[in-house]
Amino acid sequence: MNNFLIISCTGNNDKLGLSINKEFFTHNLVDKKNISEILVAEISNFIKVHKVILDENFCVIVNQGPGSFSSIRISIAVAKGLEISKKVKIYGYNDADLKTFDKENIEKLINNSLIEKNLIKPIYLS
């Protein structure tokens, strides 16, 4: 898994990460109150800047929580939309399995099989 977008929207320290052609980029989502209004635009701009082609060879990895109900549901819905429209592969991970949001730890997450293919099981905080 070389080219992927990772979405971590749990309502706390929301971020996007992009691995493309062995380079890794991050983007902080600063407007946490309106994540439903900005997430698609932020992802769209992020992938355009880095000239990403979304197709069946691209993956989207989504944080399944625990976290904010709305933030998690929105990020999963966006990932599902990309899966349907662009045929990307989607994976989910649990927040506790990713210690730091950086390339090294995300690669450990992937290599240690801590992501689940097409199996999104959100964990919400009550």
Side-chain angles (χ1 to χ4, degrees), residues 8-15 29 31-33 35 63 65-72 75 95 125:
S8 181
C9 291
T10 59
N12 184 24
N13 207 12
D14 297 342
K15 295 181 182 202
L29 300 171
D31 189 358
K32 295 173 186 11
K33 294 179 185 171
I35 198 75
N63 189 333
S68 161
F69 176 84
S70 298
S71 296
I72 292 170
S75 58
D95 193 51
L125 295 176

Side-chain angles (χ1 to χ4, degrees), residues 64-83:
Q64 301 176 121
S68 161
F69 176 84
S70 298
S71 296
I72 292 170
R73 291 304 302 161
I74 291 163
S75 58
I76 291 172
V78 169
K80 287 285 197 178
L82 289 171
E83 178 187 40

Side-chain angles (χ1 to χ4, degrees), residues 10-58:
T10 59
N12 184 24
N13 207 12
D14 297 342
K15 295 181 182 202
L16 301 174
L18 181 64
S19 176
I20 191 79
N21 300 325
K22 299 187 181 184
E23 292 186 72
F24 187 73
F25 309 95
T26 60
H27 177 71
N28 292 325
L29 300 171
V30 292
D31 189 358
K32 295 173 186 11
K33 294 179 185 171
N34 294 317
I35 198 75
S36 63
E37 296 174 15
I38 67 163
L39 186 59
V40 172
E42 293 284 335
I43 290 172
S44 180
N45 291 336
F46 193 41
I47 62 176
K48 281 180 187 174
V49 165
H50 297 289
K51 299 177 180 145
V52 174
I53 297 171
L54 297 177
D55 60 17
E56 63 277 351
N57 298 317
F58 193 81

